[in-house]
Amino acid sequence: MYSKQIFTPLWRHLCLQGSRRAAALHPQVTLSQCAVSMTTDTTVQGNTYAEETPVDSQTKRGGFNFIKATKSSWDLTPHITKSTIEDLELMFTKVLFSHEMSLVLARLNELRRQGYVQVETLGSGNFSLFEDRLLNGISYLSVSDTVSCLLPLVEMYETDTPVIEALGQKVLQSIQICPLPSLIKVVSHLQNHQESPLRKEIVQNAAIRLGEQWEDITKPSLLLSLMYAGYSIKATDDLALTLVQNMGAKHLSRILFILAKKQRRNEPLIRSVVKQLNKQKQDMNTLNLKDFAKLFYACSRLNVYDTELLQSITANTTSTLQPESLTLLSILRSLSELQWKDDTLLDGLTELLEKGLVELSAMDKAKVVISIARLNYVSPQTVRLVKAILSSNLASVRDEDPTQWLDLVWSLAILNMADSAMIVTVLDSSFMEYFPVEDTYRKWWTDMKLMNINTTAQLETPGYDGPLLPPQDQPKTTEFMKKNRSSAKLIDKALSTMVPLEKYVKSNIFSSSGYHIDAELFVDKSGTPKPYDSSVDDPELHRVCILVQDYLDMTLHDIAPTGLQAMKARHLSLLGYKVVQVSYTDLADKNTVVKTVQYLQSRLKEAVGAA
């Protein structure tokens, strides 16, 4: 609870000025009482405040000069922004500057959104006194302060209270002289709260006035407010294109973040922002860890794969890592979605996450494992981290989100860390009741993951005696498999040059383990292909599967197969295949069919040990 040491200097300052504003904002105080200001004792015992006593004019002048010289000692702003509802209840009874009243309302609304305040209960506390004081002092408020007081209230109340009506009427009458920043606040906040005719009229008039002043919007902060509110999307995006040339890294990064949050992929604007960010590598050093987390998030959601930008963000993030678990988790998740793998950054992230596990919920811990598995980032550090996560209670994840639980078990299978107890929870027939057949694509992916886990149970879980998927539950469709992949086409063309495909090769196979195989063939010990049908039962021949790994099958920066691709190769090898993995990077310099054939022949020989 705040003491009178905070409020008394404010009281002094208002009174010593003999301000009519002070009397208006505190109706119980008359102008004659403004002479009462000096405090004889600032010591506070509990909630008992020191007595205030009148003093002569000379002392008042001395006291006033002292207060002006130490303004920071009575500025309430930093206290208001961190206040609890109990603190605000005390503030409701005190004399406040007009800008502080708007901050109190903003903080009250923030606490309401967080669930700490119920609007219905405000009328029974000191808030009614605060409202009366505000209502009586509206005529003394500036237009900007009026707007700042109005906006939290319209968000808190669906119907117009007397205070809202009075504030709204003043804003409406002052639209023509309303400062541009306040005008933007009005259209940004009120467009989603037009529950009454008054609010609609304010928004309409403010939008007209804003249109008249559109060319005056030159500050990035004003533009960002409009973009975040989703106001006139095309106009704000076009304005952003004209302003990005003069923006710093902070504002540029926020543009990308807003586009990502709003799910707007404006290609010209994104390219322009990325280009400017790449020019401002020094300014990037001014960003903090949360800024870099937002940049990674924006890149992942907007599919920004600019190598120069991502390398810059990676380097700066690595040098600014701090023990902020939720921020670190956000970065890790974005890296996994981008498939951007940097061992140095991942080492730092996982080390700090292990130390801060206590700050993460069970759901968050599951997301850590899923992200690590997607990147197939296996190191002593990640093994310790995953084991620490598994030693905690994760049971709530299955109850809260069965899909997330399936992803968790599947990710553990990718990392080869799934045990029998985890596998049983998803292969049990009752688990499928959580997945109704509504979305065919999602159902297909669910089936694939279950089949991969089923294969893990059979091949990599010694002593597993739990349920397995019945054969009829194993889908055979390749409907959703990736098609028209350029690298796969190159391999098909090379194979067709080597042998007749129909007789020697089976293409686009969907295995019972849940994996897509680009090509399957039999070769002898020298790596020479043999006719498929006559080779199936020949023990002297080797069954080879060719897995073509395109751009989406590989991580970026540190180029390697993703977690799924690594598990696929591991499982197919355990099933008896000689696995040939062909990456798009391996084919980058094979610009002729002859070179591709030569490369493929050497890989087949290598697979059977004939190289």
Side-chain angles (χ1 to χ4, degrees), residues 123-170:
S124 59
N126 294 329
F127 185 65
S128 57
L129 175 64
F130 177 87
E131 284 188 306
D132 291 341
R133 189 177 300 139
L134 177 58
L135 187 60
N136 291 332
I138 284 177
S139 60
Y140 296 94
L141 296 177
S142 67
V143 177
S144 297
D145 286 337
T146 305
V147 169
S148 296
C149 288
L150 174 65
L151 298 181
L153 289 171
V154 297
E155 189 174 334
M156 290 165 60
Y157 294 96
E158 293 185 0
T159 57
D160 292 347
T161 64
V163 176
I164 292 177
E165 289 181 358
L167 290 168
Q169 287 296 338
K170 180 169 181 178

Side-chain angles (χ1 to χ4, degrees), residues 8-72:
T8 297
L10 290 172
W11 176 273
R12 289 181 193 148
H13 189 63
L14 287 170
C15 293
L16 286 171
Q17 288 185 359
S19 172
R20 292 183 180 273
R21 264 179 69 210
L25 293 177
H26 198 319
Q28 293 85 344
V29 180
T30 64
L31 289 179
S32 63
Q33 290 175 297
C34 288
V36 182
S37 61
M38 295 304 293
T39 301
T40 58
D41 181 14
T42 58
T43 303
V44 180
Q45 300 295 334
N47 292 331
T48 304
Y49 302 118
E51 294 291 335
E52 291 188 346
T53 58
V55 292
D56 58 37
S57 59
Q58 183 65 36
T59 306
K60 281 187 288 186
R61 283 195 295 274
F64 176 65
N65 291 333
F66 171 77
I67 293 167
K68 288 186 67 177
T70 59
K71 180 177 179 180
S72 61

Side-chain angles (χ1 to χ4, degrees), residues 278 281 284 292 307-317:
N278 286 333
K281 289 186 172 61
M284 290 274 280
F292 293 123
T307 302
E308 184 179 358
L309 176 61
L310 289 173
Q311 287 177 339
S312 176
I313 301 172
T314 298
N316 281 283
T317 303

